[in-house]
Amino acid sequence: MLRVLLLGVLAPAGLGLPAPPEPQPLGGQCVDLDCFAVFRGPATFLAASRVCERLQGHLMTVRSSVAEDVISLLLSGDGLRLWIGLQRPPGCDDPEHSGPLRGFQWVTGDNRTSFSRWARPRDDGERLCGPLCVAVSAAAGELAPGEPAWEERPCDAEADGFLCEFHFAASCRPLAVEPGATAAPGRAAVAPLGVELECAAPLGETEGRWSREAPGAWACGVERGGCQHECKASAGASNCLCPADAALQADGRSCGPPAEHPCHQLCEHFCHLHGLGNYTCICEAGYQLAADQHRCEDVDDCAQVPSPCPQSCVNTEGGFQCHCFPDFDLVDGECVEPVDPCFGNSCEYQCQPVGRSEHQCICAEGFAPVPGAPHKCRMFCNQTSCPADCDPHNPAVCWCPEGYILDEGSVCTDINECDNGICPGQCHNLPGTYECICGPDSALSGQTGTDCDPIQVNEGQGTLEDNDGSGEPPVSPTPGGTAGPSPAPAGPLHSGVLVGISIASLSLVVALLALLCHLRKKQGASRGELEYKCGVPAKELMLQQVKTERTPQKL
């Protein structure tokens, strides 16, 4: 605890106490934890300094304009000449190296300052020789009349008074004294009650409380006797009282937790107080009192009937653990059969359990999961031909994967897109798709994909690698077909249909030539020449017989 004496002005009681030997302070001002007091009465510098030191302070140091403002408030325009804590030791100074304090130093042994106000300017080359001391007066200023200014004086001369400075490590609120009580100056001594107090604060704190070394309450009329809770005066004595759930501490004024009963050390777990000095030991859950009624021993919970567990119980210190038989799960204290991981699944074809809690969707033969949607299936073939997916109720309705065409025998045959010259350069046919290898003349030279034209790629086909279609245009659905549960996109035309279209076009050309021959006959043209020209196409037509019947296909 830090102890700081109160330096206030309390009216003297005149109740037989010895009169203080020092002059009485006329007033004081405080700035933070520093307080300044003015004392009036003739005194030399040495006598004034001793008075301040007996009061655990020193003559005032004026290091800033704030301290100068405090002096102005204390003087209140009076023309008193008061000593401050500035002196010059014996010897003479060098005017060029004397600084703002002119070679003087504070009674604290240093010359630090950011302020000075001398009554008269110093002449060039003027030397000051000590010992000298400094007094402040509002009437001494030549540069600023009416404002306190400093003047050098012999230290053994008497001034009208002096200013003391006191530093406090803590501060207390003004002392509360009930009406009728008086006090004497010094250590906050309340004369008629014989109370002498100090301002005390815990280490590191600046907010203190009035206290004293002697334990117990003082007069309840002064600061409630120092009691933390309540002060009660009875038969001329004062006592502190605490709430029911607290106990009076060793200083006789503070309240704190009641002293611990010895049973708290005797009982292993808990102590329950009842009656006057009686107690009972209590154990935590899962334990019971031993024979000595103080120790606690574990209870075998698994030996209870009925068992606390539905299937298997394992006792532990202070508790137990429940376990289930194989193929059972412990859920909210009950052993239940594990839920089928495929329960409530969204698989399009079939669900397959994976472990005890996971599942995966599988597809039928010839189908594969859809990327990004593994619960759905789509037709898949990685060979040149695969069986078609036909409706079991209508075998004529079949489906093929994209890039395949339905052929005879309900077989899906890969379309060789390279036969149609779809790639400007080298073409590589793949199951269900194809791959163009762009030549050096292409803007996409060295790249592979389904197109080597950069304009088409930028207009919606994406990158070459993104287009894995067959390259053939879609066809209309086969008449009479019924939609399946997940219809596949239409495949391209059969190669035989393409050949039929080509031959039909050639037949049209032949018909036009025949008509031309007929017209030339009417004009008297040579018969032999006409037979020659008209016979050649006819011979070409006999080279190949075309089957124009279209094979049913799935779209």
Side-chain angles (χ1 to χ4, degrees), residues 337-431:
E337 294 184 3
V339 179
D340 185 359
C342 287
F343 177 77
N345 71 89
S346 59
C347 296
E348 189 175 68
Y349 178 71
Q350 187 176 349
C351 175
Q352 181 178 13
V354 178
R356 295 173 59 88
S357 59
E358 301 294 333
H359 74 276
Q360 67 177 5
C361 295
I362 59 176
C363 298
E365 185 178 359
F367 290 80
V370 177
H375 61 286
K376 295 184 178 181
C377 298
R378 68 179 182 184
M379 296 185 67
F380 174 76
C381 180
N382 61 353
Q383 301 176 0
T384 57
S385 62
C386 295
D389 180 31
C390 298
D391 186 346
H393 304 291
N394 188 1
V397 179
C398 298
W399 294 270
C400 286
E402 184 178 359
Y404 290 79
I405 190 170
L406 185 63
D407 214 338
E408 297 180 357
S410 299
V411 174
C412 296
T413 304
D414 174 50
I415 299 173
N416 190 349
E417 294 86 355
C418 295
D419 290 343
N420 301 330
I422 195 169
C423 294
Q426 185 178 356
C427 180
H428 183 203
N429 186 55
L430 299 172

Side-chain angles (χ1 to χ4, degrees), residues 23 39 41-54 57-62 81-90 104-110 118 130-136 150-165:
F39 292 83
T44 63
F45 183 88
L46 180 60
S49 180
R50 288 176 177 175
V51 171
C52 294
E53 290 174 359
R54 281 196 296 271
H58 55 76
L59 285 173
M60 182 177 180
T61 59
V62 189
R81 182 178 284 108
L82 306 174
W83 291 118
I84 62 174
L86 194 59
Q87 62 182 351
R88 177 178 177 77
F104 287 75
Q105 65 180 14
W106 302 111
V107 292
T108 53
D110 64 278
W118 296 97
L132 290 174
C133 298
V134 176
V136 62
W150 304 352
E151 59 177 344
E152 306 93 341
R153 294 179 56 82
C155 296
D156 54 0
E158 288 188 344
D160 299 324
F162 52 92
L163 295 166
C164 289
E165 177 181 340

Side-chain angles (χ1 to χ4, degrees), residues 95-106:
E96 297 182 358
H97 301 87
S98 57
L101 295 183
R102 299 183 178 180
F104 287 75
Q105 65 180 14
W106 302 111

Side-chain angles (χ1 to χ4, degrees), residues 24-40:
Q24 295 298 309
L26 297 179
Q29 291 287 336
C30 292
V31 179
D32 294 332
L33 297 179
D34 294 317
C35 290
F36 309 92
V38 56
F39 292 83
R40 186 171 181 177

Side-chain angles (χ1 to χ4, degrees), residues 227-230 240-261:
C227 299
Q228 181 178 350
H229 181 63
E230 182 181 352
C240 293
L241 303 179
C242 292
D245 57 349
L248 201 62
Q249 301 301 296
D251 61 358
R253 296 182 294 272
S254 302
C255 297
E260 187 178 41
H261 193 278

Side-chain angles (χ1 to χ4, degrees), residues 1-254:
M1 302 290 285
L2 298 176
R3 307 183 185 281
V4 182
L5 298 180
L6 170 70
L7 294 174
V9 180
L10 301 176
L15 299 177
L17 294 178
E22 295 84 37
Q24 295 298 309
L26 297 179
Q29 291 287 336
C30 292
V31 179
D32 294 332
L33 297 179
D34 294 317
C35 290
F36 309 92
V38 56
F39 292 83
R40 186 171 181 177
T44 63
F45 183 88
L46 180 60
S49 180
R50 288 176 177 175
V51 171
C52 294
E53 290 174 359
R54 281 196 296 271
L55 295 175
Q56 298 188 5
H58 55 76
L59 285 173
M60 182 177 180
T61 59
V62 189
R63 303 175 187 270
S64 66
S65 59
V66 175
E68 183 71 8
D69 293 338
V70 171
I71 294 177
S72 299
L73 293 174
L74 294 176
L75 291 179
S76 299
D78 294 340
L80 298 177
R81 182 178 284 108
L82 306 174
W83 291 118
I84 62 174
L86 194 59
Q87 62 182 351
R88 177 178 177 77
C92 299
D93 69 333
D94 182 0
E96 297 182 358
H97 301 87
S98 57
L101 295 183
R102 299 183 178 180
F104 287 75
Q105 65 180 14
W106 302 111
V107 292
T108 53
D110 64 278
N111 58 0
R112 293 182 295 103
T113 186
S114 61
F115 175 85
S116 65
R117 178 174 288 172
W118 296 97
R120 62 180 182 83
R122 187 173 185 179
D123 298 334
D124 295 339
E126 180 183 2
R127 301 185 66 190
L128 294 176
C129 297
L132 290 174
C133 298
V134 176
V136 62
S137 174
E142 297 179 3
L143 301 178
E147 295 186 5
W150 304 352
E151 59 177 344
E152 306 93 341
R153 294 179 56 82
C155 296
D156 54 0
E158 288 188 344
D160 299 324
F162 52 92
L163 295 166
C164 289
E165 177 181 340
F166 306 94
H167 177 75
F168 298 90
S171 63
C172 292
R173 59 185 177 83
L175 190 64
V177 181
E178 290 186 355
T182 57
R187 299 184 48 160
V190 184
L193 303 177
V195 178
E196 188 172 341
L197 305 178
E198 296 176 340
C199 179
L203 184 64
E205 297 185 10
T206 58
E207 185 67 27
R209 292 181 57 192
W210 293 109
S211 182
R212 67 177 183 180
E213 292 186 5
W218 56 78
C220 292
V222 180
E223 287 290 315
R224 291 189 314 172
C227 299
Q228 181 178 350
H229 181 63
E230 182 181 352
C231 182
K232 183 176 182 180
S234 176
S238 299
N239 295 285
C240 293
L241 303 179
C242 292
D245 57 349
L248 201 62
Q249 301 301 296
D251 61 358
R253 296 182 294 272
S254 302

